[in-house]
Amino acid sequence: MNRKKPVTLDKNENLKGYMFIGTSLIGVFLFSIFPLLLSFVLSFTDWNLISSISSINFVGLRNYIDMFSDSVFYTSLKNNILFAIYTIPVQLVFGLLAAVLINKSCYCKNVFKAVYFMPYISSTVAIATVWMFLFQPSFGPINDILKSIGIANPPNWLTDRYWALPSVAAMYSWQNIGYDIIIFIAGLQAIPQELYKSSDIDGANWFNKLRFITLPIITPTLFFLMITEIMSTFRVFDQIQVLTEGGPGNATSVLVYYLYKLSFRYNKIGYGSAMTVMLFVIIFAITFAQWKGRNKWVEEE
């Protein structure tokens, strides 16, 4: 019995492969790894962006000590957690339901995919401008509808400290749910149709198919979306900057927006870098915990 010889790559082929990925690796190093390392170094300094590099003073852990006594830091962290709670369940639940409907019982599927995905690739500034009009307290359509059904004093939404963060979360979910739908549809299309046909023979209804076939098989897709969305919610900036600028007060201030203000408005690069490092540690810890716990609910096969 003849055995196939293992395929081996010569040095020239390896070199070609390294050349193909070299550009991407250089970009990753210059725009991701190097800034992160530089932020780590600057987090131990008092550089204020205006002074020269030669005037940088190392202050040890002072920036980190100041951060843990900064009430705005804790407020921003709390807002980040609330923002994730407001957005991620909505995107996952409605994204999955919409994906199931589009994948199973919908004509012109590609049209619906494009329509739902369009906000995700559209300009955040343009979308925020439209939502600012919708949330306008005096003549905005949302408050007009609420008044027409008998609510005399609807919220001021973006200027109300209790409603501002949920309002931004609503826009964020609407803008990003199309991404979840596309990813879920890709996961649904990988499910063998024989499983559904067998369940039809057994008399399973729509809910049982969703619970015992669809959900267990797409848990890897669900796991991927949970990780990426948690990262995204902790990096949210554009929506906050355009809609509220962290206000009213610090009701919508999140970590990325706060470290942006510290670094580029107040010129506290050292302090902002320390917060960047802390943000990286928080995201890494959450992702690591998710990765360690995936075996308890993610079906690998």
Side-chain angles (χ1 to χ4, degrees):
M1 185 176 180
N2 294 328
R3 295 183 178 181
K4 294 182 178 180
K5 295 182 179 180
V7 178
T8 58
L9 298 177
D10 57 27
K11 293 182 178 181
N12 290 332
E13 289 177 330
N14 285 331
L15 179 60
K16 292 177 182 178
Y18 291 134
M19 290 177 64
F20 274 115
I21 66 174
T23 305
S24 298
L25 291 178
I26 292 173
V28 170
F29 178 78
L30 290 179
F31 300 107
S32 296
I33 298 177
F34 177 72
L36 182 61
L37 295 176
L38 184 61
S39 295
F40 180 75
V41 174
L42 291 177
S43 68
F44 299 101
T45 71
D46 62 353
W47 190 37
N48 60 9
L49 188 65
I50 299 176
S51 59
S52 62
I53 297 179
S54 59
S55 62
I56 294 178
N57 296 317
F58 283 89
V59 295
L61 297 175
R62 191 180 72 186
N63 289 326
Y64 293 93
I65 296 172
D66 292 342
M67 181 172 56
F68 286 114
S69 61
D70 186 352
S71 61
V72 181
F73 167 75
Y74 290 107
T75 300
S76 300
L77 178 59
K78 181 194 72 173
N79 289 339
N80 256 132
I81 296 173
L82 289 175
F83 193 83
I85 294 173
Y86 292 153
T87 57
I88 293 176
V90 172
Q91 291 179 222
L92 293 179
V93 173
F94 287 96
L96 177 58
L97 293 177
V100 171
L101 292 175
I102 293 173
N103 189 56
K104 293 295 292 183
S105 55
C106 181
Y107 295 102
C108 302
K109 294 181 181 180
N110 291 333
V111 175
F112 280 93
K113 291 178 185 178
V115 169
Y116 280 112
F117 195 67
M118 191 66 68
Y120 181 76
I121 60 176
S122 299
S123 169
T124 299
V125 176
I127 293 175
T129 302
V130 175
W131 279 80
M132 288 177 69
F133 170 73
L134 294 176
F135 283 130
Q136 215 288 331
S138 300
F139 53 82
I142 294 178
N143 278 5
D144 285 345
I145 294 173
L146 294 178
K147 290 177 182 177
S148 66
I149 61 176
I151 300 178
N153 297 309
N156 291 328
W157 304 115
L158 297 175
T159 58
D160 188 316
R161 63 179 298 104
Y162 298 106
W163 286 99
L165 190 64
S167 300
V168 178
M171 174 202 150
Y172 180 89
S173 297
W174 178 86
Q175 183 181 7
N176 290 275
I177 196 171
Y179 175 79
D180 292 54
I181 293 173
I182 297 299
I183 300 299
F184 272 131
I185 289 177
L188 292 173
Q189 291 176 346
I191 300 177
Q193 294 302 308
E194 291 78 8
L195 297 176
Y196 292 112
K197 294 178 180 179
S198 299
S199 65
D200 289 333
I201 297 174
D202 294 335
N205 56 29
W206 180 85
F207 178 77
N208 287 332
K209 292 178 184 179
L210 179 65
R211 179 182 177 186
F212 296 108
I213 297 177
T214 304
L215 285 177
I217 294 179
I218 66 168
T219 48
T221 304
L222 190 62
F223 175 69
F224 167 77
L225 286 174
M226 287 182 64
I227 286 182
T228 55
E229 287 178 3
I230 288 178
M231 291 182 181
S232 297
T233 54
F234 272 88
R235 292 185 286 108
V236 63
F237 173 80
D238 296 351
Q239 293 82 358
I240 302 294
Q241 168 69 15
V242 177
L243 289 177
T244 62
E245 295 187 352
N250 292 309
T252 58
S253 176
V254 292
L255 290 178
V256 172
Y257 183 78
Y258 184 44
L259 69 87
Y260 157 77
K261 286 203 308 181
L262 289 171
S263 301
F264 300 105
R265 289 190 182 180
Y266 305 146
N267 297 323
K268 296 181 178 180
I269 293 294
Y271 193 15
S273 297
M275 198 163 295
T276 301
V277 173
M278 183 56 58
L279 179 61
F280 171 80
V281 171
I282 292 172
I283 295 176
F284 179 83
I286 295 174
T287 304
F288 182 78
Q290 286 182 292
W291 189 261
K292 281 296 184 180
R294 75 189 189 282
N295 292 330
K296 296 182 180 180
W297 64 279
V298 176
E299 299 287 341
E300 297 294 343
E301 298 182 359

